[in-house]
Amino acid sequence: MNEVKTPKKPLIYYYVIVLLVLMLVNFLAMPWIAQRQIKEVDYNTFISMLEEGEVAQIQLQDQENRLLFTDKERDTVYKTALVGDPDLTERALDAGVSISGEEIQQTDPLLAFLISWVLPIVIFIAIGQYMSKRIMKNAGGPNAMMFGKSNAKVYVKSSEGIKFSDVAGEDEAKENLQEIVDYLHDPKRYQEIGASMPKGILLVGPPGTGKTMLAKAVAGESNVPFFSMSGSEFVEMFVGMGASKVRDLFKQAKEKAPCIVFIDEIDAIGKKRDGQLGGNDEREQTLNQLLTEMDGFEGNTGVIILAATNRPESLDPALTRPGRFDRRVPVELPDLKGREEILKVHARKIKVAEDVDWEKIARMASGASGAELANIVNEAALRAVRDGRRYATQADLEESIEVVIAGYQKKNAILTDQEKWTVAYHETGHALVAAMQTHSAPVQKITIIPRTSGALGYTMQVEEGDHYLMSQAELENRIATLTGGRAAEELIFHSASTGASNDIEQATKLARAMITRYGMSEDFDMVALETVQNQYLGGDASLACSPETAAEIDRQVVSVVKRQHEKALKILEENQDKLHELSKYLYEKETITGEAFMTILER
Ligand code: ADP
């Protein structure tokens, strides 16, 4: 889609133009007008006028070598050449005229006033009027002189617009939105039967999953104008400004109907109105206006509102009720197949070797969002250029996954020998505990090259398939695996290092969730002790229980983790030879693949 840009004329231009005009008036026009008012006469005329008593005032201008004088009524100013007349003073005395330093008013005071005060104001207003007329013509354009106007970006149909085929995966979302496209193509078919389209559609999902892209694709497919605005753009410093922007946006949209209005990050204005002290008045007014506008237009005016958010639970219930944003389209992280498709879509833009195994790459990039996958493909292309290759290879792609997820390799971070051994045992510990519990390859690959993200080693987990349920045993095994790294260090070096902080955090989170949310504790039964907020943004949980219960939860969390830690220690103890062998391999080669790992383990 092409964005329609309106030319911007910043206010500063306006001031510069006015200033220039003023300077011209004062430096050129004023002296010129003044000159025109002076009558030039010869010296003899001056003498005779003086003698006849027709002169009222005389001024000598030595520098310009001239003499100015006025007639009796002081109406007209005359000038004549200064001829160096020695008798001038005397003649003046005789005529009773003083030769004063007092300046002779060369111009009519009224005219001077008009020119230096009234004219600039007239020019000022004229230019201002002209400019505001031009801005009106480009209505919708962002301009500092237009408060309360929406500055939505308008996209019009264009041949290279985004289509559904550019959005890979997300089949359910696309299917859902296809209906909107159908409607915009042929609204009659729907109107005949009396069906009306939902007015608003809410796209919810984690960041980078293609919500914006989907909205653009709907517009691209249905060939209608597309207004795009971010929720935060409505929120202004002055109360009432946001509301007026909403009004303006809808006015524009209705003029262009059928069309699509897209509001990104709608939670910026759509947060629950809690009415608490210190609430944001401006935001609430903006939201109220949005609610009113959505009610205001009829179901079949052809304005469809798409909105995206990562935090659907924080939206005001009035916004999500039927009749407003009544349809919710989840846009989730892509699954294996989706990831493969997204990779392929983005690979069309770069040159890639023919033998690239996309499925393997997709498998390795488990948990990556669409935006991350796009980034991975681009990183691979950059890497190929850096190494002087004409196209990206499988190795480029594999390395760029690690780059995107864990950061670049730190070429000059030198680990001491002891540190390197510790990292090797730590990572092997995790993998070995995992392998002994599931009897299958637990990792794709382990490397112990430090990364710029600060990780000293990096383990690429095996894609566990699309897993929707986990049993208690599986959760416990996972905790045991997480403690495996530290367990290996304890077993071999009889000491602990700081390398396990992330493991500890994750293990604790899992154990806590088991007790407070999944009802897997000894005595709390099926009681929810925690509620999750922001499920798409990390999922923080907040406790909802008495302090006594909280203390008991803490005790149980410790006991769960402790039990698994002991289990991990036991597994490693029983397989100490393998631990040594695998760690040595990893220490020497710095990388071990899942297959190599299993071969050594099964020897
Ligand atoms: P969101 O609005 O959900 O945060 P965007 O729509 O802005 O995410 O996506 C960011 C980028 O990620 C897109 O420009 C695109 O390159 C890539 N992307 C995300 N999802 C997909 C997808 N399903 N197919 C292709 N590219 C995708």
Side-chain angles (χ1 to χ4, degrees), residues 166-170 206-214 264 342 345-346 349 370-371 374:
D166 295 312
V167 187
E170 308 298 350
T209 44
K211 296 184 291 294
T212 314
M213 254 189 126
L214 275 168
D264 210 352
I342 295 176
V345 162
H346 287 281
K349 295 177 209 150

Side-chain angles (χ1 to χ4, degrees), residues 17 62 145 156 296 321 400 542 583:
I17 292 174
D62 290 328
M145 287 164 67
V156 286
R321 76 139 163 83
S400 63
S542 61
S583 304

Side-chain angles (χ1 to χ4, degrees), residues 64-168:
E64 286 156 63
N65 205 21
R66 63 179 191 177
L67 184 151
L68 297 183
F69 64 98
T70 60
D71 61 5
K72 234 178 7 206
E73 291 81 33
R74 295 186 188 237
D75 285 343
T76 322
V77 181
Y78 298 88
K79 80 171 177 191
T80 178
L82 202 59
V83 292
D85 177 2
D87 304 330
L88 177 63
T89 334
E90 221 165 87
R91 281 187 223 266
L93 257 174
D94 288 348
V97 180
S98 70
I99 305 183
S100 64
E102 193 192 331
E103 214 174 300
I104 292 179
Q105 273 290 335
Q106 294 175 22
T107 39
D108 189 348
L110 184 68
L111 190 68
F113 171 77
L114 279 179
I115 289 176
S116 53
W117 288 102
V118 179
L119 189 67
I121 293 175
V122 171
I123 293 174
F124 207 83
I125 293 172
I127 296 182
Q129 283 283 327
Y130 171 72
M131 295 217 5
S132 68
K133 254 197 207 122
R134 283 195 45 176
I135 292 157
M136 285 298 184
K137 256 199 232 160
N138 310 329
N143 196 292
M145 287 164 67
M146 299 171 71
F147 294 112
K149 295 275 175 191
S150 92
N151 37 10
K153 294 196 199 81
V154 187
Y155 295 83
V156 286
K157 45 199 166 186
S158 78
S159 51
E160 75 249 58
I162 294 178
K163 292 273 157 59
F164 276 145
S165 57
D166 295 312
V167 187

Side-chain angles (χ1 to χ4, degrees), residues 189-208:
R189 212 156 57 99
Y190 289 80
Q191 284 158 7
E192 268 167 18
I193 205 167
S196 61
M197 261 296 111
K199 287 180 187 169
I201 293 160
L202 200 58
L203 300 165
V204 297

